């Protein structure tokens, strides 16, 4: 999966390897559900989960901008996700690569 010029490798295959964007999204969401349902609330797992989920937002923003803007206007999901990540310091600012949007300020 790509966002801007960066290729992200999918860890859903045992060892990280390239994966289609939809495959990456499915594997990442499966990972997040599994971690949350197991009750693992360690900071390390939340940071990893947030990093992986953010990459999905970045891919959609850079490769499917109209879809991103339509959904963000309707749900503010990205804005709420970024606020949560910043509030609990789950992602360093250097990893937040989508430009500031009016909804994320």
């Amino acid at each position: 999966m790509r966002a801007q010029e960066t290729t992200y490798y999918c860890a859903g295959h045992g060892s990280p390897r390239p994966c289609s964007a939809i495959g990456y999204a499915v594997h990442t969401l499966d990972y997040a559900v599994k971690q949350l349902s197991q009750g693992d609330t360690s900071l390390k797992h939340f940071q990893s989960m947030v990093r992986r989920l953010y990459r999905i937002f970045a891919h959609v923003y850079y490769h499917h901008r109209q879809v991103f803007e339509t959904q963000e206007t309707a749900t503010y999901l990205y804005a709420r996700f970024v606020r949560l990540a910043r509030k609990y310091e789950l992602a360093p600012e250097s990893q937040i690569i989508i430009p500031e949007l009016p909804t994320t300020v």
Side-chain angles (χ1 to χ4, degrees):
M1 184 182 75
R2 296 179 61 82
Q4 284 185 311
E5 298 302 315
T6 304
T7 298
Y8 296 111
Y9 289 87
C10 182
H13 305 279
S15 61
R17 66 180 180 121
C19 191
S20 68
I22 193 70
Y24 186 96
V26 168
H27 296 145
T28 297
L29 292 170
D30 286 347
Y31 163 80
V33 169
K34 181 180 174 187
Q35 293 294 62
L36 292 171
S37 66
Q38 289 178 349
D40 189 346
T41 57
S42 70
L43 182 60
K44 176 182 137 189
H45 289 292
F46 276 121
Q47 289 172 325
S48 176
M49 192 182 317
V50 165
R51 184 180 68 249
R52 292 177 187 188
L53 292 170
Y54 185 84
R55 291 172 181 171
I56 297 169
F57 283 113
H59 172 81
V60 175
Y61 179 82
Y62 286 106
H63 297 278
H64 311 282
R65 181 78 53 93
Q66 185 62 44
V67 172
F68 180 93
E69 290 174 354
T70 299
Q71 291 305 309
E72 186 60 13
T73 300
T75 67
Y76 300 102
L77 182 61
Y78 173 75
R80 292 182 287 143
F81 182 83
V82 169
R83 281 193 204 119
L84 177 86
R86 286 178 169 152
K87 179 177 181 176
Y88 294 103
E89 299 177 354
L90 298 173
E93 288 296 319
S94 64
Q95 290 182 357
I96 299 176
I97 61 172
I98 296 173
E100 288 294 328
L101 304 171
T103 57
T104 59
V105 179

